[in-house]
Amino acid sequence: MPSETRSPRLAVLIDADNASAKIADGLFEEIAKIGEASVRRIYGDFSNARSKAWADILSKHAIIPQQQFAYTTGKNASDITLVIDAMDLLHSGRFDGFCLVSSDSDFTRLAARIREHGVDVFGFGAQKTPESFRQACRRFFYTENLLGGTANTLDAASKSPPLQSPDEATSIIKKVIAQMESEDGWVDLGEVGKRITNLAPDFDSRTFGSRKLSDLVRKTNSFEIDQPKGGSMRIRIKSTAGSPPKTRTARKPAG
């Protein structure tokens, strides 16, 4: 019997001081799309009111707490312990990726160090997270997009404004299209999606109020759309500003 393909094995390390417990459901639903959360650890002083909310949901997500008492003010021991554990886990060679959950730029070097070993890093933090940390990750997810879990993301999005306007996504989509070789300007939307995350690790259609990249492209009103029946969607930059996007359907062969 052929062996089943194993999901990527992930180590999830959470900085309780820099991540809200409200994201827990959405966080692990998002991580499940990437691979298997084999290690789940959280670091903080759980005697502190700020971290206590996490203590109440640890068992629900099988998260192992790493208690670090704040004996002094300023830099706490949680960050140091998280980094030490991450390096130990990295050198074990058992993991295909790391999920670092924090909005703290101090983990930028850790993310870069892990990637130097050819291991993927997925960052999860608030929109205020410094660019240095976001760019150090292979992918970065804004935790505001995870509130309430993915099952409720659309409902939440309909009741609150997106983090950014859809128009702000136009320039990066155009930049990716310009980098792709195409004689007639048409490019495959799926390929555009893959290249966007290489250029901007924190790009996420949900940030702009859309569930999918195709929905976002339509909202920008800056691209022509070619949707062959039964085929993959293609897009190209509009040649005439202000005109509505064109949607074409493949013709049936004659005869």
Side-chain angles (χ1 to χ4, degrees), residues 224-255:
E224 295 182 24
I225 299 171
D226 178 19
Q227 180 67 74
K229 191 172 183 180
S232 58
M233 181 182 291
R234 301 190 304 162
I235 64 172
R236 72 176 175 186
I237 302 171
K238 276 187 179 180
S239 56
T240 305
S243 60
K246 300 176 183 177
T247 302
R248 303 189 310 175
T249 303
R251 297 179 180 177
K252 293 183 179 180

Side-chain angles (χ1 to χ4, degrees), residues 125-162:
Q127 196 176 19
K128 66 181 180 181
T129 304
E131 184 179 12
S132 59
F133 181 36
R134 302 199 312 265
Q135 292 295 325
C137 301
R138 180 190 169 192
R139 290 287 312 279
F140 189 88
F141 301 87
Y142 290 125
T143 51
E144 289 90 343
N145 289 328
L146 307 180
L147 290 172
T150 55
N152 299 322
T153 297
L154 287 182
D155 291 338
S158 65
K159 296 175 183 177
S160 59

